[in-house]
């Protein structure tokens, strides 16, 4: 898209969007301005890339303004960020034209998770009035065995409990439409990302476990989830693998990734000492529930989290008894 914009100009891209809106606008859809918005189409711009990134950001802002002006259905508009967004600048100059912020954080499995977590927090702070969600991160199966199901569970639960508006799962083998008889092969840049066919990729366990996460959250008013890191305390080294907590209508939902040596140090805080709470462990791998029972706060308004049924990551739900 960046390459196309470079050579054809904004006017032709606006005409293209006129067609897209006329052809598809009546359907319930959202508009994504471009993929890799600051990337010229697989073109090595060398020392000129900084210049062209500046041009692309302004040009796509013009196109976004045109879409808002033209679209009679007022569909949501976003943009897929490209390389170079990590330079601290927004994907387009006029973020007022973007209705929700899409993130792209990389595909290197566990090595990506610190940046992915920082990316969510930064954008929640930078754009508090806009929905935030990952549009591309750690496609399952990317780089061979990378970004497996535990990475997918961490991303889903940490994102949702930090306050994102949703989560987008992706898988190697599906994004490039590989089949058993026909592979996408090398990208224009010369690299082959993977040859797994979609008939295999769609069975990856991460997709099922992200779906289980959705099913769990649908039991509660998930759309009202508010991050509540102050409602849980723990002893852990400086890490992203901490308990994540959010609340929604008399319910606390906590995701605990992996604390085999410090479970005894995790405490729910600021509990109502005049109330009791129904406590349930939920397995994010299977969706199975393990009712713990009714608990009440100590004199400090706290409750010490016990060891889980199995030493793995868990979802813990505290529901206030009315």
């Amino acid at each position: 898209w960046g390459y196309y914009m470079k050579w054809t100009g904004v006017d032709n891209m606006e005409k293209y969007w006129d067609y897209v809106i006329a052809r598809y606008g009546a359907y319930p859809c959202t508009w994504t301005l471009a993929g890799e918005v600051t990337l010229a189409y697989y073109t090595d711009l060398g020392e000129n890339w900084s210049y062209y990134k500046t041009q692309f950001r302004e040009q796509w802002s013009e196109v976004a303004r045109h879409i808002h002006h033209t679209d009679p259905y007022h569909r949501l508009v976003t943009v897929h960020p490209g390389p170079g967004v990590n330079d601290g600048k927004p994907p387009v100059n006029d973020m007022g034209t973007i209705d929700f912020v899409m993130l792209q954080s990389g595909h290197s499995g566990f090595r990506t998770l610190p940046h992915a977590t920082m990316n969510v927090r930064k954008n929640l702070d930078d754009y508090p009035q806009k929905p935030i969600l990952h549009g591309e991160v750690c496609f399952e199966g990317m780089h061979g065995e990378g970004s497996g199901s535990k990475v997918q569970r961490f991303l889903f639960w940490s994102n949702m409990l930090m306050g994102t508006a949703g989560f987008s799962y992706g898988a190697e083998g599906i994004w490039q439409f590989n089949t058993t008889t026909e592979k996408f092969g090398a990208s224009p840049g010369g690299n082959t990302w993977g040859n797994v066919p979609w008939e295999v990729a769609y069975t990856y366990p991460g997709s099922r476990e992200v779906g289980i996460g959705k099913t769990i959250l649908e039991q509660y008013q998930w759309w009202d989830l508010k991050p509540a890191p102050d409602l849980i305390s723990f002893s852990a080294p400086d890490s992203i693998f901490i308990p994540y907590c959010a609340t929604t209508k008399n319910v606390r939902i906590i995701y605990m990734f992996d604390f085999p040596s410090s479970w005894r140090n995790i405490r729910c805080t600021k509990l109502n000492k005049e109330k009791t709470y129904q406590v349930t462990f939920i397995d994010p791998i299977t969706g199975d529930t393990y009712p713990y029972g009714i608990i009440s706060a100590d004199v400090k308004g706290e409750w010490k989290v016990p060891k889980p049924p199995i030493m793995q990551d868990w979802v813990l739900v505290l529901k206030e008894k009315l």
Side-chain angles (χ1 to χ4, degrees):
W1 286 120
Y3 184 83
Y4 182 84
M5 183 80 81
K6 175 185 172 187
W7 292 111
T8 66
V10 172
D11 289 345
N12 282 342
M13 186 55 72
E14 290 177 348
K15 291 176 182 177
Y16 166 80
W17 272 102
D18 288 344
Y19 168 78
V20 171
I21 291 168
R23 177 67 179 82
Y24 299 104
Y27 293 97
C29 56
T30 56
W31 304 130
T32 301
L33 278 175
E36 309 282 6
V37 70
T38 54
L39 177 65
Y41 180 76
Y42 292 102
T43 302
D44 183 6
L45 297 175
E47 295 180 357
N48 294 323
W49 193 17
S50 293
Y51 167 78
Y52 281 115
K53 281 190 291 186
T54 301
Q55 300 301 306
F56 296 157
R57 284 182 168 113
E58 183 51 40
Q59 290 170 338
W60 285 116
S61 294
E62 291 183 44
V63 175
R65 287 189 286 266
H66 177 79
I67 292 172
H68 280 288
H69 177 74
T70 304
D71 178 13
Y73 305 98
H74 306 294
R75 301 304 187 196
L76 296 176
V77 177
T78 190
V79 64
H80 180 282
V85 174
N86 296 338
D87 58 11
K89 297 178 182 178
V92 293
N93 288 346
D94 185 358
M95 287 297 287
T97 64
I98 302 302
D99 296 309
F100 67 95
V101 180
M102 182 188 294
L103 307 180
Q104 174 188 192
S105 294
H107 294 283
S108 298
F110 282 95
R111 294 192 301 276
T112 293
L113 299 185
H115 172 64
T117 304
M118 178 277 294
N119 208 8
V120 169
R121 287 175 172 154
K122 180 180 186 303
N123 280 272
L124 286 168
D125 288 341
D126 288 349
Y127 309 107
Q129 303 304 316
K130 294 182 185 293
I132 310 293
L133 81 159
H134 263 114
E136 180 183 341
V137 62
C138 288
F139 286 171
E140 188 167 7
M142 186 77 86
H143 300 300
E145 298 296 321
S147 301
S149 58
K150 194 168 187 179
V151 168
Q152 305 305 320
R153 296 198 304 274
F154 173 83
L155 286 166
F156 173 83
W157 284 104
S158 64
N159 278 220
M160 294 302 296
L161 300 185
M162 280 193 289
T164 63
F167 179 74
S168 178
Y169 166 86
E172 174 64 36
I174 293 178
W175 70 267
Q176 70 274 62
F177 304 113
N178 285 334
T179 72
T180 53
T181 59
E182 185 176 358
K183 307 297 190 297
F184 180 83
S187 295
N191 50 307
T192 299
W193 290 101
N195 285 323
V196 173
W198 75 265
E199 295 95 335
V200 173
Y202 91 92
T203 68
Y204 285 158
S207 63
R208 182 183 67 252
E209 292 163 19
V210 168
I212 287 170
K214 174 179 180 287
T215 300
I216 292 170
L217 288 182
E218 285 179 335
Q219 300 174 54
Y220 311 101
Q221 291 187 6
W222 63 269
W223 56 91
D224 284 333
L225 277 172
K226 295 179 175 58
D230 59 319
L231 298 185
I232 191 161
S233 67
F234 48 89
S235 299
D238 185 18
S239 169
I240 61 168
F241 301 118
I242 58 175
Y244 291 84
C245 179
T247 61
T248 176
K249 194 171 183 178
N250 304 316
V251 173
R252 297 188 189 197
I253 302 175
I254 302 162
Y255 176 68
M256 296 171 287
F257 179 74
D258 191 14
F259 279 97
S261 64
S262 59
W263 281 96
R264 64 183 181 274
N265 297 321
I266 302 175
R267 304 181 70 87
C268 294
T269 61
K270 299 183 181 180
L271 294 167
N272 188 332
K273 290 183 285 185
E274 298 179 358
K275 298 283 187 176
T276 58
Y277 298 82
Q278 174 70 52
V279 175
T280 305
F281 282 97
I282 305 179
D283 187 337
I285 303 173
T286 65
D288 293 340
T289 59
Y290 295 75
Y292 179 80
I294 307 297
I295 65 99
S296 56
D298 61 20
V299 294
K300 295 181 179 179
E302 299 181 354
W303 174 68
K304 185 184 296 184
V305 176
K307 290 183 179 180
I310 307 169
M311 298 306 287
Q312 60 172 55
D313 54 325
W314 283 93
V315 176
L316 181 65
V317 176
L318 278 70
K319 186 173 183 180
E320 184 178 302
K321 301 286 285 185
L322 301 177

